[in-house]
Amino acid sequence: EVQLVESGGGVVQPGESLRLSCVASGFTFDDYAMHWVRQVPGKGLEWVSLISGDGTNTYYSDSVKGRFTISRDNSKNSLFLQMNSLRTEDTAFYYCARPLRYFDWLLHSYFYYGMDVWGQGTTVTVSS
Amino acid sequence: SYELTQPPSMSVSPRQTARITCSGDVLAKQYGYWYQQKPGQAPVLVIYKDSERPSGTPERFSGSSSGTTVTLTISGVQAEDEADYYCQSADSGGSYWVFGGGTKLTVL
């Protein structure tokens, strides 16, 4: 069974740090780029960050660039989000997500689309 | 950055057709995606590449694209379709992703 399990959430004060983890199972982890997405309770979804399958390329939303760092350990099927200089507006439910992979027989190549596997999420609360 | 605009809410009677739109300049050149999210649950991808259904998405869900707008159509709406729906897209390199604000669909 394909599964993503997040952990590491908690309650911290503004300016503090937190490291989220996401452990994958049921698929070849390093075949896939991976995302972090967050959601403020009662609000919409916000894309946070993306990392390539081999970990060499990373991308961030404007709201977290310079404060958050995405990384992965493919030997442990694990994805991470290091969150520094946390702000109250970072309070949210954090999900890791995997793209949908489609094999194009004509082009004989894999293509990746959207986010079709999600974890159950972990809660981050930043409050003084 | 990019922006995607959805109506905040809409309501529909059972067995009717719901059409949820999502507009943004990025959609003129990039694919749109749709997610369904029910209370207390993670989002579920229901449409990718504007109009493709992942395995498991009921056939009553369909997607279309025209210009800078993508549309999610739910034909023969059922009570279980009551949920929040989010559109999504990305830049040409797939390195910057954005969600619409979400549409709360109420089944009357």
Side-chain angles (χ1 to χ4, degrees), chain A residues 59-78:
Chain A
Y59 309 95
Y60 301 92
S61 67
D62 292 344
S63 59
V64 307
K65 194 176 298 182
R67 300 187 299 122
F68 290 12
T69 301
I70 190 172
S71 62
R72 63 193 296 162
D73 183 342
N74 286 343
S75 69
K76 296 181 179 178
N77 289 350
S78 295

Side-chain angles (χ1 to χ4, degrees), chain B residues 7 48 51 62 68-69 84-86:
Chain B
Y48 70 100
S51 60
S62 63
T68 59
T69 299
D84 293 326
Y85 290 86
Y86 295 90

Side-chain angles (χ1 to χ4, degrees), chain A residues 35 37 39 43-45 47 50 59-62 95 100 113-116 118-119, chain B residues 1 31 33 35 37 41-43 45 48-49 54 86 88 94-97 99 101:
Chain A
H35 297 268
V37 174
Q39 184 172 34
K43 302 296 185 182
L45 300 168
W47 174 75
L50 166 68
Y59 309 95
Y60 301 92
S61 67
D62 292 344
Y95 295 100
L100 179 149
Y113 300 105
M115 304 164 188
D116 86 325
W118 295 67
Chain B
S1 62
Y31 291 126
Y33 304 83
Y35 298 83
Q37 187 181 34
Q41 298 182 18
L45 178 69
Y48 70 100
K49 274 183 72 176
Y86 295 90
Q88 181 197 51
S95 60
Y96 194 97
W97 293 73
F99 286 94

Side-chain angles (χ1 to χ4, degrees), chain A residues 2-122:
Chain A
V2 174
Q3 197 172 14
L4 299 172
V5 179
E6 301 95 334
S7 62
V11 180
V12 296
Q13 295 189 339
E16 294 187 341
S17 300
L18 207 56
R19 189 189 196 213
L20 305 183
S21 300
C22 168
V23 177
S25 59
F27 64 98
T28 303
F29 185 60
D30 56 8
D31 278 350
Y32 292 81
M34 294 292 295
H35 297 268
W36 284 101
V37 174
R38 69 184 181 184
Q39 184 172 34
V40 174
K43 302 296 185 182
L45 300 168
E46 180 188 9
W47 174 75
V48 172
S49 185
L50 166 68
I51 187 168
S52 59
D54 62 5
T56 57
N57 297 301
T58 59
Y59 309 95
Y60 301 92
S61 67
D62 292 344
S63 59
V64 307
K65 194 176 298 182
R67 300 187 299 122
F68 290 12
T69 301
I70 190 172
S71 62
R72 63 193 296 162
D73 183 342
N74 286 343
S75 69
K76 296 181 179 178
N77 289 350
S78 295
L79 173 72
F80 306 102
L81 187 67
Q82 177 67 43
M83 304 185 294
N84 297 333
S85 304
L86 282 162
R87 305 168 179 169
T88 55
E89 55 264 36
D90 296 318
T91 294
F93 208 58
Y94 285 73
Y95 295 100
C96 59
R98 188 202 80 171
L100 179 149
R101 188 169 75 164
Y102 169 81
F103 187 74
D104 188 311
W105 289 99
L106 199 62
L107 299 175
H108 209 73
S109 293
Y110 282 108
F111 292 86
Y112 296 84
Y113 300 105
M115 304 164 188
D116 86 325
V117 178
W118 295 67
Q120 86 291 349
T122 187

Side-chain angles (χ1 to χ4, degrees), chain B residues 20-101:
Chain B
I20 303 173
T21 60
C22 172
S23 299
D25 290 342
V26 67
L27 296 171
K29 294 184 177 181
Q30 305 305 322
Y31 291 126
Y33 304 83
W34 289 96
Y35 298 83
Q36 177 194 67
Q37 187 181 34
K38 297 182 179 180
Q41 298 182 18
V44 174
L45 178 69
V46 293
I47 294 289
Y48 70 100
K49 274 183 72 176
D50 293 340
S51 60
E52 300 292 323
R53 277 190 305 271
S55 60
T57 298
E59 289 186 7
R60 63 181 181 275
F61 288 83
S62 63
S64 61
S65 175
S66 178
T68 59
T69 299
V70 292
T71 301
L72 173 68
T73 300
I74 311 172
S75 304
V77 167
Q78 300 180 6
E80 67 198 53
D81 299 331
E82 184 165 285
D84 293 326
Y85 290 86
Y86 295 90
C87 63
Q88 181 197 51
S89 190
D91 68 358
S92 58
S95 60
Y96 194 97
W97 293 73
V98 63
F99 286 94

